[in-house]
Amino acid sequence: MDLPTILSRGEPLIAAELRPPRAELGPAAGMEAWIDTYHAVRGLARLGTFTFLTDGAVGAHEEDNLRHLVANLGGDVPRERIVPFLTTKHTLDYCLDYADRAWDAGFRSLVVLGGDSTVGPPRVVPHGSDLRRLIRARQPGLALGGWANPHAAADTQVGYLLESGICADFFLTQIVSHHDAAAVERFLGEAARRQLALSPVFGCFYYRSANRRTLRLLSRFLSVPTAALSEEFAAGGSAVEICARSIATLRRVGVQHLYLSNLPTGAAATTLAAILRRAEELGA
């Protein structure tokens, strides 16, 4: 089943987000990185989950994720289990051709985002919804995902999602954690009050350490609870434990669907399995 079908059934989902190899890698390093990506996608599929593949995460120039997947993944993984990202930070011809290629190759869902406007190329259209409308006109069968930020004003964010021109069948959110439970509750409460029908998939980050330099870099793109994370790691918390705490807490405040970002590509499936085991022990 594809992602919108799973979401519509209300079954709890924890998916993974992976980054394609960076475009500047040399041929040998790039091939090795793609091999790791293929193994990760296959391993995640065996766990019965979905894989999101980013497009220009944190401003990086990443390889064309569709081209490599179609050429090398073969029939090992159902295309319905893979959901690529597409940002507006390409030419319009590229974006529309990308949607055509995705549909022709058997992908049935596509997350379309504006992309960070502070780094990288400019947006070809002002908002992700503008590009989604153009894609919907060409490929009406593609399920399109939007975006929301639970850290911003809940009434404004939910209002965007209720606009008639949103052209989205589901949406992903900015990264949240157990330290953001109050903001998530406000967002969910506002969505329920205004009867938002779209299903959310909340983002959750796998923090591998409390390295100050890394957290400072990440804070340019997402809300990072730097002090709290530093305390948790200093107290002996592992990366798996801290991520599991986020899942358990978010489940308790009403989050049904999550995607985990920053899993190590070479061990994505085993790391996710460990996180899920610990989250279940914590009551998720």
Side-chain angles (χ1 to χ4, degrees), residues 2-3 17 21 25 36 62 75 84 100-101 144 178 221 239 249 268:
D2 61 14
L3 182 63
E17 178 196 74
L25 292 176
D36 284 345
E62 295 169 354
D100 293 342
R101 288 188 291 131
L144 302 177
H178 49 299
F221 304 99
T249 300

Side-chain angles (χ1 to χ4, degrees), residues 257-277:
H257 313 301
L258 288 153
Y259 71 91
L260 300 190
S261 182
N262 200 45
L263 295 173
T265 304
T270 55
T271 303
L272 177 58
I275 293 168
L276 294 181
R277 285 194 299 270

Side-chain angles (χ1 to χ4, degrees), residues 43-66:
L44 291 165
R46 284 195 294 271
L47 285 178
T49 193
F50 288 78
T51 300
F52 295 101
L53 281 176
T54 64
D55 172 35
V58 295
H61 183 202
E62 295 169 354
E63 288 275 9
D64 183 315
N65 45 27
L66 275 187

Side-chain angles (χ1 to χ4, degrees), residues 51-284:
T51 300
F52 295 101
L53 281 176
T54 64
D55 172 35
V58 295
H61 183 202
E62 295 169 354
E63 288 275 9
D64 183 315
N65 45 27
L66 275 187
R67 180 168 60 86
H68 282 274
L69 285 172
V70 171
N72 297 287
L73 197 58
D76 293 351
V77 180
R79 297 290 191 266
E80 294 86 353
R81 291 277 163 175
I82 305 172
V83 183
F85 280 25
L86 174 66
T87 69
T88 66
K89 298 165 75 63
H90 306 276
T91 66
L92 186 57
D93 285 344
Y94 175 92
C95 292
L96 297 179
D97 178 68
Y98 185 101
D100 293 342
R101 288 188 291 131
W103 178 258
D104 291 342
F107 297 93
R108 292 299 174 254
S109 302
L110 180 65
V111 175
V112 180
L113 314 173
D116 196 301
S117 59
T118 64
V119 293
R123 297 180 176 187
V124 70
V125 291
H127 306 288
S129 58
D130 299 316
L131 182 54
R132 287 194 295 275
R133 283 193 292 272
L134 294 173
I135 291 173
R136 178 60 50 85
R138 288 171 68 103
Q139 295 295 347
L142 262 178
L144 302 177
W147 187 256
N149 183 3
H151 300 284
D155 58 344
T156 302
Q157 293 295 301
V158 172
Y160 290 149
L161 294 166
L162 287 168
E163 291 178 357
S164 59
I166 188 69
C167 271
D169 304 289
F170 61 95
F171 66 96
L172 274 61
T173 80
Q174 181 57 278
I175 297 297
V176 292
S177 74
H178 49 299
H179 301 293
D180 305 309
V184 173
E185 283 191 286
R186 285 193 296 272
F187 182 91
L188 290 173
E190 181 69 10
R193 185 183 72 81
R194 298 174 69 177
Q195 299 182 320
L196 177 65
L198 297 180
S199 295
V201 185
F202 282 78
C204 187
F205 204 81
Y206 178 70
Y207 294 100
R208 303 181 193 181
S209 74
N211 181 285
R212 290 280 179 170
R213 181 179 178 184
T214 301
L215 297 181
R216 187 164 55 248
L217 173 63
L218 287 172
S219 65
R220 295 169 51 193
F221 304 99
L222 50 96
S223 178
V224 180
T226 302
L229 284 171
S230 298
E231 290 179 6
E232 287 183 284
F233 277 109
S238 67
V240 166
E241 173 72 22
I242 292 169
C243 189
R245 288 175 192 167
S246 287
I247 293 172
T249 300
L250 294 169
R251 283 275 197 256
R252 283 193 287 271
V253 301
V255 171
Q256 283 281 89
H257 313 301
L258 288 153
Y259 71 91
L260 300 190
S261 182
N262 200 45
L263 295 173
T265 304
T270 55
T271 303
L272 177 58
I275 293 168
L276 294 181
R277 285 194 299 270
R278 182 58 184 142
E280 185 175 2
E281 293 169 355
L282 294 173

